[in-house]
Amino acid sequence: MSNQKIIVTGGCGYIGSHTTVALQNAGYNVVIFDNLANSTPETLDRITEITGVRPMFEKIDCTDIDAVRDAFDRHGDATGVIHFAALKAVGESVSYPLMYYKNNLVSLINVLEMMTAFNIENIVFSSSATVYGAPDTLPATEDTPTRAATSPYGQTKIMAETIIRDTVAANPKMHAVLLRYFNPIGAHPSGKIGELPRGVPNNLMPYITQVACGQREKLNVFGDDYPTPDGFCVRDYIDVNDLADAHIAALRHMIDSGDDIDVFNIGTGRGLSVMEIIRTFERATGVKINYTITARRPGDVPAIWACADKAAKVLGWRAKTPLDDTMRAAWLWQQNISKN
């Protein structure tokens, strides 16, 4: 395990940076491939502050095959790849579908092509619970049927899973783990790295913290008439540090087991409503959130949460961070970036 090199594409992003921290703390050597389109170079400094180790860094766009080939030429001794590099804003993907299909799929194809060329056999892929759509039964298990997504972003996750499956089937030495995340939230407990959306946040948690610090006037809560216990949308909110640990568990399992391909839900196994998240944030931080209830948002499913039993059984992984701690870390991160 120690000294194995892992390529992390999109490693300066929200989940990628936390996973890089977890990897380095576990003794792996990390090389980040990132074009910094949705992140900043300061993230490298912050990772270094947290871990005491500066990750290797290649500023490349994974849709550029020549750049990817050059980077793999320098790092062809890697044990595996964790692939995060992707655009992820659902609304933006509806407006710019071709940009999403090109970025998210071409980058993956280039990485898989170079993994094959350089005999790198292991990939952990950042997938999403969006592949389930609105399931007929809850919680969603890994056997829940996938459905055509409601956005080009979601479609890229479904297509990417198919591309990886077909690549593994054609390459007997290649192994893959598909991690279907539910709703990542929070920040590193140090407050040095966290979610940093550009423009108006698409996700609930950074919107809450931006309202809390006065950056935004109020939070719009979309709909209070859903068929859920309190009428608000229900999601499975997973602490980003727990999510990062899941990647290490998946990597170790893949290398040790030699399984061709496996799929795991990464969630807490518990659904919480938007209002429960607001109330928990207020309780954990002592800060009141100004919110308004507005009309439903198109495409939102009423409720989805994970059955994460397979990850517990096979990977030995479970979400463990208390929700109040997640809220306090998110708030600390927001306060730190608001100072700058």
Side-chain angles (χ1 to χ4, degrees), residues 14-23 26 82 84 124 179 181 184-185 188 193 238-251 266 317 320:
Y14 175 41
I15 301 169
S17 61
H18 288 80
T19 302
T20 296
V21 165
L23 284 164
I82 302 180
F84 295 108
V124 179
L179 297 184
Y181 313 158
I185 60 170
H188 192 268
I193 56 172
I238 172 80
D239 186 280
V240 68
N241 301 285
D242 291 342
L243 178 59
D245 289 340
H247 292 80
I248 296 176
L251 194 64
I266 304 299
W317 173 90
K320 60 181 188 290

Side-chain angles (χ1 to χ4, degrees), residues 261-319:
I261 193 159
D262 220 333
V263 181
F264 297 96
N265 284 340
I266 304 299
T268 65
R270 178 181 171 214
L272 292 169
S273 76
V274 171
M275 194 53 61
E276 286 176 300
I277 291 292
I278 293 169
R279 297 286 177 246
T280 304
F281 179 86
E282 291 179 334
R283 184 184 69 237
T285 65
V287 181
K288 284 287 184 190
I289 297 299
N290 183 27
Y291 66 87
T292 303
I293 295 167
T294 62
R296 291 186 184 191
R297 184 170 56 181
D300 277 345
V301 300
I304 185 168
W305 66 91
C307 172
D309 293 348
K310 183 181 174 185
K313 182 179 177 183
V314 178
L315 302 181
W317 173 90
R318 275 196 189 279

Side-chain angles (χ1 to χ4, degrees), residues 4 19 60 71 77 82 119 194 241 253 308 331 337 340:
Q4 288 181 339
T19 302
I60 62 163
D77 57 338
I82 302 180
N119 298 310
N241 301 285
H253 167 74
W331 180 224
I337 56 175
N340 298 330

